[in-house]
Amino acid sequence: MKIMIAIGVLLSNTSYAQIKNAKTESVKIYGNCGMCETKIEKAGNIKKIANVDWNQETQMATLTYDAKKTNQEEILKRIALVGYDSDKFLAPDDVYNNLHGCCQYDRVAKVPVKEDNKTTASSEDHSNHNHSEMITTEVQKDNQLKVIFDNYFLLKDALIASDGTKTALASKELLTAINNVKMDKLEMESHMVWMKVVNTIKEDAEHIADTKDVKHQRDHFTTLSKDIYSLIKASKYETPVYYQFCPMFNDGKGANWLSKENAVKNPYYGSMMLSCGKTVETIK
């Protein structure tokens, strides 16, 4: 038994030794059983870059990673995406609900942590970073959602023209942009909102793309706009965006949409009632 333990420790130390610029941290990751341990560690581990060792009894995980290639947030995001909460990231509800019964730990209400400052260690390493690569990474993070917003606005303009064919094509482009988003590259606040809305955004985009019936497209545009509003509030857009409201649509219940123009051009009625509505919020 002692020999087996010694071998296990040796193998563990060897795997850590393969990680360059190693940084080690302890964080809490919620789970219950051995099956949880397997999934948590598999999601967090990247050969020669990151190693996760999770303790079932304490629910504490030891993260050892190459600080020049990844960080704690990226590791915890990957683990959240397979169903396991930490104090920084909540797993998507649908993923958590699909965990095996024995793996469904008691979820604790938590407020997502918003990272404003880098750690001291990160600041010390900053001089070794390639600045052009850092800028490119930030642009990629922003562009992922910008493409979605840009395609939403094209879709909205097609509905203003009451053109079902153009609306369907714009929605296909929107769907492509949605499918191309890499969640682990999103900023924290955007990431949390994205996990909540991605399924309904995708469903609405698919419905709009699969028909040229403008009435059916507009029905799904109402819920699509609601989710895009939540997303654009979290991530912002390069210019002010106007959240507008039509009181007539949906049998007088009303519906909202987003526009880059303050002037009202109603996508729910087009030329029939082009100026019906008002701006209810300006998002900057």
Side-chain angles (χ1 to χ4, degrees), residues 10-267:
L10 180 62
L11 289 173
S12 177
N13 289 338
T14 301
S15 82
Y16 291 159
Q18 291 176 343
I19 297 176
K20 296 180 180 179
N21 312 300
K23 183 175 182 178
T24 301
E25 297 171 330
S26 294
V27 295
K28 186 160 188 175
I29 299 173
Y30 296 84
N32 288 333
C33 61
M35 193 184 304
C36 298
E37 181 177 6
T38 300
K39 293 184 70 175
I40 288 169
E41 293 181 353
K42 182 178 179 181
N45 291 348
I46 300 177
K47 188 176 181 181
K48 295 185 180 181
I49 295 177
N51 184 280
V52 178
D53 183 14
W54 185 75
N55 187 298
Q56 177 180 334
E57 293 183 3
T58 63
Q59 295 189 326
M60 295 299 295
T62 300
L63 312 183
T64 304
Y65 57 89
D66 185 334
K68 290 187 177 181
K69 293 185 177 179
T70 189
N71 54 52
Q72 181 188 122
E73 284 72 21
E74 296 298 333
I75 296 169
L76 294 179
K77 282 179 185 178
R78 293 199 303 273
I79 292 170
L81 291 174
V82 299
Y84 296 92
D85 295 350
S86 63
D87 290 325
K88 285 193 174 183
F89 294 98
L90 302 180
D93 289 341
D94 58 334
V95 179
Y96 170 82
N97 292 334
N98 284 328
L99 291 176
H100 191 276
C102 70
C103 297
Q104 291 189 354
Y105 50 90
D106 293 331
R107 305 191 85 180
V108 181
K110 296 181 286 294
V111 177
V113 177
K114 185 174 182 179
E115 182 183 6
D116 294 320
N117 301 311
K118 300 293 181 183
T119 62
T120 303
S122 296
S123 299
E124 291 173 353
D125 291 339
H126 185 72
S127 60
N128 297 323
H129 290 170
N130 184 315
H131 287 264
S132 64
E133 288 179 358
M134 292 171 66
I135 293 169
T136 301
T137 300
E138 292 302 318
V139 170
Q140 286 174 344
K141 287 179 179 179
D142 292 339
N143 282 352
Q144 285 197 92
L145 297 184
K146 182 181 182 298
V147 174
I148 287 175
F149 300 145
D150 288 345
N151 279 291
Y152 168 86
F153 291 129
L154 290 174
L155 192 160
K156 181 263 301 179
D157 290 343
L159 284 176
I160 291 172
S162 298
D163 189 327
T165 300
K166 284 187 178 180
T167 300
L169 289 172
S171 197
K172 285 179 182 177
E173 292 298 319
L174 173 60
L175 191 57
T176 298
I178 293 168
N179 289 329
N180 285 339
V181 168
K182 296 178 180 177
M183 282 193 279
D184 62 335
K185 299 299 182 184
L186 294 175
E187 296 291 349
M188 189 177 298
E189 189 174 354
S190 301
H191 173 93
M192 300 306 296
V193 175
W194 179 257
M195 288 194 298
K196 293 178 181 177
V197 304
V198 60
N199 289 335
T200 50
I201 285 179
K202 189 179 293 187
E203 182 180 350
D204 285 324
E206 287 172 347
H207 277 277
I208 295 171
D210 287 344
T211 183
K212 295 178 183 178
D213 181 344
V214 176
K215 182 181 183 304
H216 186 65
Q217 290 172 332
R218 284 169 171 156
D219 287 339
H220 282 279
F221 184 69
T222 60
T223 48
L224 176 66
S225 295
K226 181 180 177 182
D227 287 332
I228 293 292
Y229 167 77
S230 299
L231 195 57
I232 212 166
K233 286 274 285 185
S235 59
K236 307 303 180 188
Y237 190 68
E238 58 188 1
T239 58
V241 175
Y242 303 94
Y243 195 45
Q244 299 177 324
F245 178 72
C246 167
M248 301 291 291
F249 193 70
N250 195 20
D251 296 326
K253 295 177 183 177
N256 293 89
W257 74 94
L258 294 151
S259 176
K260 291 192 287 184
E261 305 171 63
N262 193 19
V264 172
K265 293 181 181 179
N266 192 316

